[in-house]
Amino acid sequence: MPAKSSFKWPEKLRIIPWWGTQVDTARSWGKLLEEDTGMKVVVGAETNTVNRFRWLGRVGLSDVTQAAPAETSHMVRGDRKYGVRDGGPFQVRILWQGTKASACFFTRGDSRIKTPYDIKPGTRITDILPFVAATRVYDGLLAWGRVKKEDIEWVKVYDNKENIMAVVEGRADICFNFPTTNVTREAAKNPYGLSIVECNSEADPEGAKRFREWDPLINFYPVPEGVLEGASGKWSMGGLSLELTNERLDPQLVYHLAKWLDENWSRYKDRHQHNKFKTRELLMKNLGETYVPCHEGLIMYLKDLGLWTAKHERRHKKNLDLLTRYCD
Protein backbone atom coordinates (compact mmCIF):
# COMPACT_ATOMS: atom_id res chain seq x y z
CA MET A 1 0.00 0.00 0.00
CA PRO A 2 1.45 3.44 -0.88
CA ALA A 3 2.57 5.72 1.91
CA LYS A 4 -0.15 8.02 3.23
CA SER A 5 1.91 11.08 2.25
CA SER A 6 1.59 10.12 -1.45
CA PHE A 7 -2.20 10.17 -1.34
CA LYS A 8 -4.09 12.27 -3.89
CA TRP A 9 -7.80 13.01 -3.63
CA PRO A 10 -9.84 11.63 -6.55
CA GLU A 11 -11.70 13.92 -8.93
CA LYS A 12 -15.13 13.04 -7.53
CA LEU A 13 -16.92 11.63 -4.47
CA ARG A 14 -20.56 10.55 -4.92
CA ILE A 15 -22.93 10.63 -1.94
CA ILE A 16 -26.55 9.46 -2.30
CA PRO A 17 -28.55 9.64 0.96
CA TRP A 18 -32.30 9.75 1.64
CA TRP A 19 -33.98 12.89 0.31
CA GLY A 20 -34.44 15.73 2.83
CA THR A 21 -32.38 16.31 5.96
CA GLN A 22 -29.74 13.73 5.03
CA VAL A 23 -29.11 15.58 1.76
CA ASP A 24 -28.86 18.92 3.55
CA THR A 25 -26.45 17.42 6.08
CA ALA A 26 -24.23 15.84 3.40
CA ARG A 27 -24.09 19.11 1.47
CA SER A 28 -23.19 21.06 4.61
CA TRP A 29 -19.95 19.17 5.24
CA GLY A 30 -19.42 18.08 1.63
CA LYS A 31 -19.07 21.68 0.48
CA LEU A 32 -16.27 22.27 2.96
CA LEU A 33 -14.58 18.99 1.99
CA GLU A 34 -14.78 20.11 -1.64
CA GLU A 35 -13.12 23.44 -0.82
CA ASP A 36 -10.35 21.78 1.18
CA THR A 37 -9.48 19.02 -1.28
CA GLY A 38 -10.42 20.25 -4.77
CA MET A 39 -12.49 17.08 -5.12
CA LYS A 40 -15.99 17.42 -6.61
CA VAL A 41 -18.48 16.22 -3.99
CA VAL A 42 -21.69 15.21 -5.75
CA VAL A 43 -24.71 14.82 -3.45
CA GLY A 44 -27.75 13.13 -4.96
CA ALA A 45 -30.93 11.86 -3.30
CA GLU A 46 -33.10 8.74 -3.39
CA THR A 47 -36.09 7.78 -1.25
CA ASN A 48 -36.15 4.21 -2.56
CA THR A 49 -33.99 2.35 -0.04
CA VAL A 50 -33.46 -0.60 -2.38
CA ASN A 51 -31.95 1.71 -5.00
CA ARG A 52 -29.71 3.47 -2.50
CA PHE A 53 -28.08 0.21 -1.46
CA ARG A 54 -28.15 -1.22 -5.00
CA TRP A 55 -26.24 1.81 -6.32
CA LEU A 56 -23.73 1.66 -3.47
CA GLY A 57 -23.18 -2.07 -3.49
CA ARG A 58 -23.48 -3.43 -7.01
CA VAL A 59 -24.18 -0.83 -9.68
CA GLY A 60 -21.35 1.52 -8.69
CA LEU A 61 -23.22 4.84 -8.93
CA SER A 62 -22.53 5.84 -5.31
CA ASP A 63 -19.59 5.88 -2.90
CA VAL A 64 -21.37 6.79 0.34
CA THR A 65 -24.85 6.61 1.83
CA GLN A 66 -26.22 7.01 5.35
CA ALA A 67 -28.48 4.44 7.01
CA ALA A 68 -29.79 3.32 10.38
CA PRO A 69 -29.17 -0.22 11.70
CA ALA A 70 -32.73 -1.48 11.11
CA GLU A 71 -32.80 -0.13 7.55
CA THR A 72 -29.43 -1.71 6.72
CA SER A 73 -30.57 -5.04 8.16
CA HIS A 74 -33.33 -5.29 5.54
CA MET A 75 -30.67 -5.16 2.84
CA VAL A 76 -28.40 -7.65 4.63
CA ARG A 77 -31.26 -10.12 5.01
CA GLY A 78 -32.46 -9.67 1.43
CA ASP A 79 -35.93 -8.81 2.71
CA ARG A 80 -38.67 -8.77 0.08
CA LYS A 81 -37.74 -6.08 -2.47
CA TYR A 82 -34.05 -6.41 -1.67
CA GLY A 83 -34.19 -9.98 -2.96
CA VAL A 84 -33.27 -9.07 -6.54
CA ARG A 85 -30.26 -10.08 -8.61
CA ASP A 86 -28.56 -6.65 -8.57
CA GLY A 87 -29.64 -5.91 -4.99
CA GLY A 88 -29.60 -7.84 -1.76
CA PRO A 89 -26.68 -8.12 0.64
CA PHE A 90 -23.22 -6.94 -0.34
CA GLN A 91 -19.97 -6.25 1.47
CA VAL A 92 -21.06 -3.01 3.11
CA ARG A 93 -18.56 -1.17 5.32
CA ILE A 94 -18.54 1.63 7.93
CA LEU A 95 -16.85 4.82 6.79
CA TRP A 96 -17.71 7.12 9.73
CA GLN A 97 -20.39 8.04 12.22
CA GLY A 98 -23.65 9.36 10.77
CA THR A 99 -26.25 11.09 12.90
CA LYS A 100 -28.83 10.42 15.60
CA ALA A 101 -32.03 9.65 13.76
CA SER A 102 -35.68 9.46 14.83
CA ALA A 103 -38.61 7.70 13.19
CA CYS A 104 -42.26 7.99 14.19
CA PHE A 105 -45.73 6.59 13.67
CA PHE A 106 -47.52 9.78 12.67
CA THR A 107 -51.16 10.69 13.23
CA ARG A 108 -53.04 13.87 12.47
CA GLY A 109 -53.07 16.32 15.34
CA ASP A 110 -56.75 15.71 16.13
CA SER A 111 -56.41 11.90 16.28
CA ARG A 112 -57.60 9.91 19.30
CA ILE A 113 -54.70 7.49 18.83
CA LYS A 114 -52.00 8.41 21.36
CA THR A 115 -50.39 5.04 22.23
CA PRO A 116 -50.22 1.60 20.57
CA TYR A 117 -53.12 0.47 22.78
CA ASP A 118 -55.43 2.98 21.07
CA ILE A 119 -55.07 1.01 17.82
CA LYS A 120 -58.24 -1.06 17.38
CA PRO A 121 -59.65 -3.33 14.64
CA GLY A 122 -60.52 -1.14 11.67
CA THR A 123 -57.71 1.37 12.27
CA ARG A 124 -56.42 2.60 8.90
CA ILE A 125 -52.64 2.37 8.45
CA THR A 126 -50.71 3.18 5.29
CA ASP A 127 -49.32 0.18 3.43
CA ILE A 128 -45.87 1.41 2.38
CA LEU A 129 -44.66 -1.81 0.74
CA PRO A 130 -45.03 -0.37 -2.80
CA PHE A 131 -42.00 1.86 -2.11
CA VAL A 132 -40.30 0.55 1.06
CA ALA A 133 -38.57 -2.81 1.17
CA ALA A 134 -39.85 -4.19 4.48
CA THR A 135 -42.22 -3.21 7.26
CA ARG A 136 -41.14 -4.98 10.46
CA VAL A 137 -41.80 -1.75 12.34
CA TYR A 138 -45.54 -2.11 11.68
CA ASP A 139 -45.44 -5.70 12.93
CA GLY A 140 -43.72 -4.41 16.06
CA LEU A 141 -46.24 -1.63 16.60
CA LEU A 142 -49.20 -4.01 16.33
CA ALA A 143 -47.50 -6.49 18.67
CA TRP A 144 -47.03 -3.70 21.21
CA GLY A 145 -50.74 -2.80 21.00
CA ARG A 146 -51.81 -6.49 20.82
CA VAL A 147 -53.68 -6.00 17.54
CA LYS A 148 -53.85 -8.56 14.72
CA LYS A 149 -52.50 -7.51 11.34
CA GLU A 150 -55.59 -8.85 9.56
CA ASP A 151 -57.81 -6.55 11.66
CA ILE A 152 -56.11 -3.45 10.25
CA GLU A 153 -57.46 -1.60 7.19
CA TRP A 154 -54.38 -1.12 4.99
CA VAL A 155 -54.32 1.99 2.82
CA LYS A 156 -52.00 1.61 -0.18
CA VAL A 157 -49.65 4.51 -0.89
CA TYR A 158 -46.98 4.70 -3.54
CA ASP A 159 -44.43 7.27 -2.40
CA ASN A 160 -43.31 9.10 0.71
CA LYS A 161 -45.41 12.21 0.07
CA GLU A 162 -48.63 10.25 -0.46
CA ASN A 163 -47.79 8.28 2.69
CA ILE A 164 -47.87 11.32 5.00
CA MET A 165 -50.61 13.12 3.05
CA ALA A 166 -52.96 10.13 3.51
CA VAL A 167 -52.90 10.99 7.22
CA VAL A 168 -53.25 14.74 6.66
CA GLU A 169 -56.21 14.22 4.31
CA GLY A 170 -57.94 11.78 6.67
CA ARG A 171 -57.63 8.71 4.40
CA ALA A 172 -55.43 6.95 6.97
CA ASP A 173 -55.04 7.14 10.73
CA ILE A 174 -51.35 6.22 11.02
CA CYS A 175 -48.26 6.25 8.83
CA PHE A 176 -44.60 5.52 9.47
CA ASN A 177 -42.22 8.31 8.52
CA PHE A 178 -39.25 10.40 9.58
CA PRO A 179 -39.74 13.77 11.30
CA THR A 180 -36.81 15.37 9.48
CA THR A 181 -37.94 14.82 5.88
CA ASN A 182 -39.11 17.75 3.78
CA VAL A 183 -42.49 16.11 3.09
CA THR A 184 -43.15 15.61 6.82
CA ARG A 185 -42.22 19.19 7.67
CA GLU A 186 -44.54 20.45 4.95
CA ALA A 187 -47.36 18.13 6.03
CA ALA A 188 -47.08 19.39 9.61
CA LYS A 189 -48.25 22.82 8.41
CA ASN A 190 -51.81 21.50 7.92
CA PRO A 191 -54.48 23.14 10.14
CA TYR A 192 -54.56 20.13 12.51
CA GLY A 193 -50.79 19.66 12.70
CA LEU A 194 -49.21 16.26 13.27
CA SER A 195 -48.84 14.10 16.34
CA ILE A 196 -47.32 10.66 16.93
CA VAL A 197 -48.17 7.31 18.50
CA GLU A 198 -45.94 7.40 21.57
CA CYS A 199 -43.77 4.32 22.09
CA ASN A 200 -42.38 4.85 25.59
CA SER A 201 -40.21 1.86 26.43
CA GLU A 202 -39.45 3.28 29.86
CA ALA A 203 -43.12 3.47 30.87
CA ASP A 204 -44.06 0.18 29.15
CA PRO A 205 -41.04 -2.16 28.87
CA GLU A 206 -43.26 -5.19 28.20
CA GLY A 207 -44.84 -3.50 25.18
CA ALA A 208 -41.40 -2.54 23.88
CA LYS A 209 -40.26 -6.14 24.38
CA ARG A 210 -43.11 -7.39 22.17
CA PHE A 211 -42.09 -4.82 19.53
CA ARG A 212 -38.45 -5.96 19.60
CA GLU A 213 -39.47 -9.57 19.04
CA TRP A 214 -40.28 -8.40 15.51
CA ASP A 215 -37.46 -5.88 15.11
CA PRO A 216 -34.68 -6.35 17.68
CA LEU A 217 -32.56 -3.52 16.26
CA ILE A 218 -35.02 -0.80 17.28
CA ASN A 219 -34.40 1.47 20.28
CA PHE A 220 -36.76 4.01 21.79
CA TYR A 221 -35.91 7.58 22.80
CA PRO A 222 -37.63 10.96 23.07
CA VAL A 223 -37.58 12.80 19.75
CA PRO A 224 -35.01 15.62 20.15
CA GLU A 225 -36.47 19.03 20.98
CA GLY A 226 -36.93 21.30 18.00
CA VAL A 227 -37.08 18.51 15.42
CA LEU A 228 -40.80 18.81 14.62
CA GLU A 229 -43.73 20.38 16.47
CA GLY A 230 -46.09 17.61 17.55
CA ALA A 231 -43.27 15.06 17.87
CA SER A 232 -40.44 16.76 19.76
CA GLY A 233 -40.05 15.46 23.30
CA LYS A 234 -42.36 12.48 22.77
CA TRP A 235 -41.06 8.91 22.83
CA SER A 236 -40.50 7.17 19.52
CA MET A 237 -37.93 5.06 17.68
CA GLY A 238 -34.38 6.31 17.37
CA GLY A 239 -30.71 5.49 17.28
CA LEU A 240 -27.31 6.17 15.76
CA SER A 241 -26.93 5.86 12.01
CA LEU A 242 -23.71 5.34 10.05
CA GLU A 243 -22.01 6.70 6.95
CA LEU A 244 -21.65 3.56 4.84
CA THR A 245 -19.58 2.57 1.83
CA ASN A 246 -18.55 -0.71 0.17
CA GLU A 247 -15.39 -2.75 0.52
CA ARG A 248 -14.18 -1.71 -2.97
CA LEU A 249 -13.62 1.93 -2.07
CA ASP A 250 -9.89 2.73 -1.91
CA PRO A 251 -8.61 2.25 1.68
CA GLN A 252 -6.42 5.35 1.31
CA LEU A 253 -9.47 7.42 0.36
CA VAL A 254 -11.48 6.08 3.32
CA TYR A 255 -8.50 6.71 5.64
CA HIS A 256 -8.31 10.35 4.57
CA LEU A 257 -12.10 10.85 4.58
CA ALA A 258 -12.29 9.53 8.15
CA LYS A 259 -9.34 11.72 9.14
CA TRP A 260 -10.91 14.79 7.54
CA LEU A 261 -14.34 14.18 9.12
CA ASP A 262 -12.69 13.73 12.51
CA GLU A 263 -10.21 16.60 12.45
CA ASN A 264 -12.58 19.14 10.87
CA TRP A 265 -15.66 18.44 12.98
CA SER A 266 -15.37 21.79 14.79
CA ARG A 267 -15.46 23.54 11.42
CA TYR A 268 -18.61 21.87 10.06
CA LYS A 269 -20.56 20.94 13.22
CA ASP A 270 -22.59 24.18 13.16
CA ARG A 271 -23.36 24.01 9.45
CA HIS A 272 -26.27 21.66 10.19
CA GLN A 273 -27.86 20.57 13.47
CA HIS A 274 -27.31 16.87 12.67
CA ASN A 275 -23.56 17.33 12.27
CA LYS A 276 -23.17 17.51 16.05
CA PHE A 277 -23.56 13.71 16.11
CA LYS A 278 -20.68 13.04 13.68
CA THR A 279 -18.08 12.77 16.45
CA ARG A 280 -15.30 10.29 17.08
CA GLU A 281 -16.83 9.55 20.51
CA LEU A 282 -20.18 8.49 19.02
CA LEU A 283 -18.39 6.49 16.35
CA MET A 284 -16.56 4.49 19.02
CA LYS A 285 -19.86 3.94 20.87
CA ASN A 286 -21.46 2.74 17.64
CA LEU A 287 -18.58 0.33 16.95
CA GLY A 288 -19.35 -1.41 20.23
CA GLU A 289 -22.93 -2.11 19.15
CA THR A 290 -23.02 -2.51 15.37
CA TYR A 291 -23.14 -5.66 13.23
CA VAL A 292 -21.61 -3.86 10.20
CA PRO A 293 -17.86 -4.39 9.55
CA CYS A 294 -15.49 -1.41 9.39
CA HIS A 295 -13.75 -0.44 6.17
CA GLU A 296 -10.03 -1.24 6.07
CA GLY A 297 -9.27 2.48 5.71
CA LEU A 298 -11.22 3.36 8.85
CA ILE A 299 -9.42 0.62 10.78
CA MET A 300 -6.08 2.06 9.60
CA TYR A 301 -7.06 5.49 10.91
CA LEU A 302 -8.28 4.21 14.28
CA LYS A 303 -5.07 2.19 14.67
CA ASP A 304 -3.03 5.34 14.04
CA LEU A 305 -4.99 7.01 16.85
CA GLY A 306 -4.43 4.02 19.14
CA LEU A 307 -8.19 3.44 19.42
CA TRP A 308 -8.49 0.08 17.65
CA THR A 309 -8.36 -2.61 20.34
CA ALA A 310 -8.32 -6.40 20.35
CA LYS A 311 -11.99 -6.24 21.34
CA HIS A 312 -12.79 -4.14 18.26
CA GLU A 313 -10.87 -6.61 16.10
CA ARG A 314 -12.84 -9.57 17.47
CA ARG A 315 -16.16 -7.86 16.90
CA HIS A 316 -15.12 -6.76 13.40
CA LYS A 317 -14.20 -10.33 12.43
CA LYS A 318 -17.46 -11.64 13.87
CA ASN A 319 -19.41 -9.00 11.94
CA LEU A 320 -17.49 -9.76 8.76
CA ASP A 321 -18.23 -13.48 9.09
CA LEU A 322 -21.93 -12.78 9.69
CA LEU A 323 -22.22 -10.46 6.69
CA THR A 324 -20.28 -12.84 4.43
CA ARG A 325 -22.64 -15.71 5.32
CA TYR A 326 -25.63 -13.53 4.35
CA CYS A 327 -23.92 -12.56 1.08
CA ASP A 328 -23.10 -16.19 0.30
Side-chain angles (χ1 to χ4, degrees):
M1 185 171 293
K4 297 180 182 68
S5 58
S6 67
F7 172 76
K8 291 184 179 180
W9 292 97
E11 292 183 5
K12 185 184 297 184
L13 182 74
R14 301 160 301 176
I15 306 172
I16 304 182
W18 181 277
W19 183 261
T21 298
Q22 286 189 12
V23 171
D24 296 338
T25 307
R27 285 174 177 163
S28 72
W29 60 263
K31 184 65 175 176
L32 188 61
L33 174 65
E34 193 173 72
E35 293 169 1
D36 284 359
T37 65
M39 178 174 56
K40 180 67 175 177
V41 178
V42 181
V43 181
E46 177 57 67
T47 56
N48 184 315
T49 56
V50 177
N51 279 342
R52 278 174 47 226
F53 282 116
R54 173 190 277 132
W55 296 342
L56 180 69
R58 299 186 185 273
V59 179
L61 293 177
S62 170
D63 301 310
V64 182
T65 195
Q66 189 182 115
E71 178 185 1
T72 307
S73 75
H74 292 311
M75 177 273 292
V76 171
R77 293 172 54 157
D79 280 345
R80 305 185 196 187
K81 291 188 176 182
Y82 285 108
V84 292
R85 187 168 295 279
D86 64 343
F90 66 95
Q91 289 292 347
V92 64
R93 295 290 188 270
I94 299 169
L95 188 152
W96 193 250
Q97 165 62 23
T99 187
K100 191 172 184 180
S102 295
C104 305
F105 296 109
F106 281 100
T107 61
R108 203 165 71 175
D110 60 344
S111 174
R112 62 168 182 80
I113 301 173
K114 307 299 181 185
T115 77
Y117 299 109
D118 295 326
I119 300 171
K120 307 296 182 184
T123 298
R124 301 166 300 165
I125 301 178
T126 57
D127 180 358
I128 57 179
L129 270 179
F131 69 100
V132 172
T135 54
R136 293 200 305 262
V137 288
Y138 277 157
D139 296 324
L141 175 69
L142 298 180
W144 190 320
R146 294 195 173 99
V147 184
K148 294 179 181 179
K149 200 169 184 177
E150 55 267 30
D151 289 338
I152 296 300
E153 183 180 330
W154 296 99
V155 179
K156 285 210 175 288
V157 292
Y158 295 91
D159 58 42
N160 202 36
K161 183 176 181 180
E162 186 185 5
N163 178 39
I164 194 80
M165 290 307 296
V167 167
V168 171
E169 295 164 1
R171 293 186 288 115
D173 301 305
I174 299 171
C175 74
F176 172 76
N177 217 313
F178 301 94
T180 54
T181 64
N182 293 341
V183 293
T184 303
R185 291 181 182 278
E186 191 62 31
K189 297 176 184 177
N190 83 84
Y192 301 98
L194 293 175
S195 188
I196 68 170
V197 183
E198 279 214 74
C199 298
N200 191 327
S201 59
E202 221 172 61
D204 185 8
E206 288 303 313
K209 182 180 178 181
R210 292 194 297 275
F211 188 113
R212 289 196 183 102
E213 288 174 358
W214 284 96
D215 201 334
L217 295 171
I218 292 293
N219 288 313
F220 302 95
Y221 304 98
V223 178
E225 292 293 337
V227 167
L228 185 76
E229 187 176 351
S232 297
K234 297 179 180 179
W235 279 74
S236 192
M237 295 157 287
L240 296 173
S241 63
L242 289 161
E243 297 286 356
L244 299 174
T245 185
N246 58 64
E247 68 168 346
R248 301 188 307 274
L249 200 65
D250 179 13
Q252 286 290 334
L253 174 57
V254 173
Y255 176 97
H256 284 85
L257 282 171
K259 181 179 173 67
W260 187 93
L261 285 163
D262 186 21
E263 293 181 347
N264 291 282
W265 179 74
S266 62
R267 296 173 62 207
Y268 66 79
K269 66 181 176 69
D270 295 326
R271 290 187 167 213
H272 194 282
Q273 60 178 348
H274 281 244
N275 286 338
K276 65 184 178 181
F277 301 111
K278 298 181 76 65
T279 65
R280 184 198 302 175
E281 290 73 22
L282 283 179
L283 171 70
M284 300 312 294
K285 180 181 186 300
N286 227 343
L287 294 189
E289 301 170 352
T290 185
Y291 58 89
V292 183
C294 290
H295 195 282
E296 180 186 347
L298 175 59
I299 295 173
M300 288 163 46
Y301 180 61
L302 295 178
K303 283 182 175 179
D304 277 3
L305 295 175
L307 295 175
W308 188 259
T309 65
K311 186 176 181 180
H312 289 119
E313 185 68 24
R314 288 193 299 272
R315 187 178 188 93
H316 169 72
K317 287 181 177 178
K318 182 178 180 180
N319 290 347
L320 186 57
D321 177 65
L322 176 69
L323 176 60
T324 299
R325 283 188 282 129
Y326 271 107
C327 290
D328 290 346

